[in-house]
Each structure stands twice: as C-alpha cells, then as structure tokens.
Amino acid sequence: MEVHLEAEVDVPVEVLAGWERRLSEGMARLGLPEDTVLAVRIVDDRTIRELNAHHRDKDEATDVLSFPMYTEQEVVALREGHLPVEPGPLLLGDIVVSFETCRRQADSYGHGLDREFGFLLAHGLLHLTGLDHETSEDDLRMRAEQRRLLQSWGLEVPNS
C-alpha cells in the first residue's frame, strides 16, 4: 500500500503523524490489493469550494471530496483478486480534505482534531471503494464501515 499525503495548507505535524500507515492498514482491511496507491490532498476552503463547484456543481465549501477511479463493482472484483485493470500499481483515487472545515467541525462536535480528520479520511476512503449514502440502507452500511475503520485506527467512535 502506498499513500501520498500532501498538505497545501499549514497542518500541525501531530495531526499528520501516522496517517500514511493508518490509511495503508485501512486499505488492507478493506481487502484492496497490496500495490494500491492513494493520494490525499489537504487544502483550504477556497480550493475545496472550487473543486466542489467544478465537479459537483455545488458552489460551497465542503469537508471532504473523493475522486474514485473505479466503481463499487470494480472494487469488489479487485478485492476478490479479479483485476479488471492493467497489471501494476492500482491507482485507487484521490481524497481532498478541507483542513479549515475539519478544524471547525472538530470544535463544533467537541472532539479532537485527529478524530475529525480520521473520520473525513475514512469517509473519503470508503467513497473510493464505491460506498455511498444515497439510500438509508447505503447510509447504514457506510456508517458501519466508518465505525470499523475508526476503531481500527484507535479513534473514539460515538455510540450513535
């Protein structure tokens, strides 16, 4: 597993510490091939707003965006060892996190910055594997997977 973590804004080193390893472990836990590559960009609200407007026609800042390379069906095939792509590293996609929004949400929800950052990364990673929350059934599945990832990363998970 290979994780490229790029902070385009000031992020405290203690927030960034260990996330390449945690994300690699999360990808392995999700059954992705060992040669999977993930890119994470940490940006400001202006940048994520521009991306959100361009890619989703929503002219507003958001907390996290995911840009998957594969559909859920293709990721399931990858997990089962069926490679519908050329041999070589598997480029899973990109996660973009607004650190400004992450910080505000951590303060608003009353939990640590590391916990909020972890939640956004888990949410983004699951979107890259094809999970979504468009229906109530999908939302329940997404929440359960998020809880499992957060727990595996040693982060607090609320009872709700």
Side-chain angles (χ1 to χ4, degrees):
M1 305 290 174
E2 190 176 328
V3 177
H4 299 277
L5 188 63
E6 177 185 348
E8 298 176 14
V9 295
D10 258 353
V11 180
V13 68
E14 62 272 10
V15 172
L16 295 177
W19 277 108
E20 289 93 347
R21 177 188 51 75
R22 285 174 168 173
L23 285 164
S24 292
E25 290 169 357
M27 290 187 297
R29 180 176 295 281
L30 293 169
L32 295 169
E34 195 170 309
D35 61 350
T36 300
V37 178
L38 170 66
V40 177
R41 288 177 61 200
I42 306 166
V43 301
D44 58 16
D45 279 349
R46 181 188 57 77
T47 302
I48 208 161
R49 180 180 183 156
E50 290 170 359
L51 290 168
N52 206 19
H54 183 276
H55 294 282
R56 300 178 64 225
D57 292 322
K58 295 186 178 187
D59 189 17
E60 61 190 19
T62 189
D63 49 9
V64 62
L65 292 171
S66 298
F67 298 97
M69 296 293 289
Y70 304 99
T71 65
E72 181 180 11
Q73 293 78 17
E74 289 170 325
V75 173
V76 168
L78 291 167
R79 288 179 184 164
E80 294 172 352
H82 309 293
L83 300 176
V85 295
E86 295 295 319
L90 174 71
L91 305 176
L92 187 61
D94 299 338
I95 299 171
V96 182
V97 174
S98 169
F99 193 67
E100 288 175 283
T101 299
C102 177
R103 185 182 296 274
R104 279 194 310 275
Q105 288 179 174
D107 290 343
S108 173
Y109 299 144
H111 54 239
L113 193 51
D114 193 50
R115 163 44 174 92
E116 183 64 17
F117 189 60
F119 173 82
L120 297 176
L121 291 174
H123 192 83
L125 180 58
L126 292 171
H127 273 300
L128 294 182
T129 65
L131 293 183
D132 214 326
H133 40 82
E134 295 300 314
T135 67
S136 57
E137 183 180 308
D138 291 342
D139 187 57
L140 287 173
R141 182 174 170 210
M142 176 76 111
R143 287 176 185 266
E145 290 295 332
Q146 285 170 168
R147 289 177 64 81
R148 281 193 273 282
L149 276 175
L150 290 171
Q151 288 171 335
S152 75
W153 293 337
L155 297 173
E156 173 189 342
V157 180
N159 289 330
S160 62

